[in-house]
Amino acid sequence: MPSNVEIKARVHDIEQLMQNAKELSQSEGSLILQEDIFFNVQHGRLKLRNFMNGSGQLIFYDRPDVSGPKLSNYSISPTEDPDGLTKLLSDALGVRGVVKKQRYLFMIEQTRLHVDTVEGLGHFMELEVVLNDEQTPDEGDSIAHTLMEKLQVKKEDLVTGAYIDILLANK
């Protein structure tokens, strides 16, 4: 199962973060509209990511709910029928909640940087350091900390859990 080291943080100055992201990635980033439908499961998280263009991904992931860098194991399966799959999984498992977001994706070497505007929550950033087979979680952690510093992300802005957890906690 692939793994990565992730961090998530609140963003107070979206313009500054975008500028830093563009400089580090040497790109304008890619805009992605996403709707994530989370389903009820015994452990981990299962979501159907709808790209709002007729395509999507079924994603299972498991990671601890702690602030700062954390190891995440995941599996992804693409789909060309996200609406049909959403209906099937909703009937079988029930829906835990829905997260709608506008995401800018920037690639910085082996790291995916997401700059997200989440409906009902505000602005966030996520770093996903995709680990090579030879790399340890500690190496991913070091890469994440270095990028946090370069992006001017403060430790006090780190958040735990997934967007769905934050949305449900705010209800």
Side-chain angles (χ1 to χ4, degrees):
M1 184 178 282
S3 59
N4 60 32
V5 172
E6 298 182 15
I7 65 154
K8 181 179 300 177
R10 288 195 179 277
V11 173
H12 302 288
D13 186 344
I14 190 80
E15 289 81 19
Q16 182 64 55
L17 180 65
M18 288 290 288
Q19 180 180 332
N20 292 345
K22 289 175 182 179
E23 288 173 10
L24 285 172
S25 69
Q26 298 180 6
S27 77
E28 292 297 308
S30 301
L31 175 62
I32 307 167
L33 301 178
Q34 298 178 345
E35 179 179 73
D36 292 343
I37 301 98
F38 285 80
F39 301 97
N40 296 313
V41 291
Q42 294 271 326
H43 74 280
R45 293 181 177 92
L46 180 67
K47 66 183 174 185
L48 190 291
R49 173 161 289 158
N50 189 333
F51 291 112
M52 314 309 287
N53 64 2
S55 70
Q57 298 173 325
L58 184 61
I59 303 168
F60 170 79
Y61 64 100
D62 196 16
R63 69 169 183 238
D65 289 329
V66 295
S67 66
K70 53 199 149 278
L71 184 65
S72 177
N73 296 304
Y74 60 94
S75 298
I76 299 175
S77 179
T79 180
E80 296 304 316
D81 185 16
D83 295 333
L85 193 51
T86 297
K87 172 80 171 95
L88 184 146
L89 291 168
S90 297
D91 290 347
L93 301 172
V95 173
R96 184 168 178 234
V98 177
V99 175
K100 296 178 182 181
K101 64 182 172 271
Q102 174 182 291
R103 166 170 281 178
Y104 281 92
L105 168 64
F106 299 90
M107 293 301 301
I108 304 169
E109 296 176 8
Q110 72 191 78
T111 303
R112 293 186 295 250
L113 166 61
H114 303 143
V115 179
D116 295 336
T117 301
V118 182
E119 189 175 293
L121 291 181
H123 303 294
F124 293 83
M125 61 77 58
E126 289 182 341
L127 290 175
E128 294 178 351
V129 182
V130 180
L131 299 177
N132 301 323
D133 291 338
E134 309 82 39
Q135 286 182 302
T136 66
D138 286 340
E139 289 175 278
D141 189 76
S142 176
I143 293 168
H145 275 100
T146 299
L147 283 173
M148 279 176 55
E149 289 175 20
K150 290 180 179 179
L151 291 165
Q152 301 174 13
V153 174
K154 298 181 178 126
K155 286 189 179 188
E156 57 266 22
D157 292 328
L158 296 177
V159 297
T160 61
Y163 295 136
I164 189 66
D165 300 325
I166 301 167
L167 279 169
L168 292 175
N170 288 347
K171 282 190 174 184

